[in-house]
Amino acid sequence: QVQLVESGGGLVQPGGSLRLSCAASGFTLDYHAIGWFRQAPGKGREGVACTTSVDGSTYYADSVKGRFTISRDNAKSAVYLQMNNLKPEDTGVYYCAADRNRLCVLWEPQYDYDHYSQGTQVTVSS
């Protein structure tokens, strides 16, 4: 079955850390961009981070630069999002997505992507 399986969300206090994982099943991540979008309550979906094997580039939203790190393990067809110094405004549902032949400079929610995960809730609250 071709799918993205995501894990790692939860409840954390401000300043805490979480690590999200996203594993590809039924396909490899060769020539794919893969990363995360998030959607806060009452807001639209926004791009958070991306990594692509098309040109080796990465992308981070300005709001997460210096706090979030995306990494990939091609042998496991997996990608990880290490989130440090979390803030209440990071709260939302995080979705992993993958798209063949995409560059991270085009990591925006209005485009269609080949694969999406089921989403995981991240709540930052004291």
Side-chain angles (χ1 to χ4, degrees):
Q1 187 175 3
V2 177
Q3 60 181 345
L4 291 173
V5 180
E6 185 178 11
S7 61
L11 172 64
V12 64
Q13 292 185 341
S17 297
L18 283 174
R19 187 188 192 220
L20 303 183
S21 300
C22 180
S25 176
F27 70 103
T28 67
L29 295 178
D30 296 343
Y31 306 108
H32 279 75
I34 185 165
W36 273 269
F37 297 96
R38 68 184 180 188
Q39 188 160 16
K43 295 187 177 181
R45 192 171 291 191
E46 65 170 335
V48 175
C50 166
T51 177
T52 181
S53 57
V54 176
D55 64 357
S57 63
T58 57
Y59 160 83
Y60 294 98
D62 287 342
S63 58
V64 307
K65 284 180 181 177
R67 301 188 297 120
F68 290 13
T69 302
I70 190 168
S71 60
R72 64 194 291 162
D73 185 336
N74 289 327
K76 296 182 178 180
S77 292
V79 65
Y80 309 97
L81 187 67
Q82 179 66 43
M83 305 185 293
N84 297 329
N85 190 23
L86 283 160
K87 303 176 180 180
E89 52 263 42
D90 295 318
T91 295
V93 179
Y94 284 66
Y95 298 90
C96 177
D99 199 48
R100 186 173 176 84
N101 292 327
R102 180 173 294 276
L103 300 177
C104 287
V105 69
L106 297 175
W107 193 254
E108 297 181 12
Q110 66 266 31
Y111 299 120
D112 291 328
Y113 292 77
D114 294 334
H115 309 283
Y116 291 93
S117 70
Q118 75 280 12
T120 190
Q121 178 69 43
V122 171
T123 302
V124 184
S125 175
S126 55

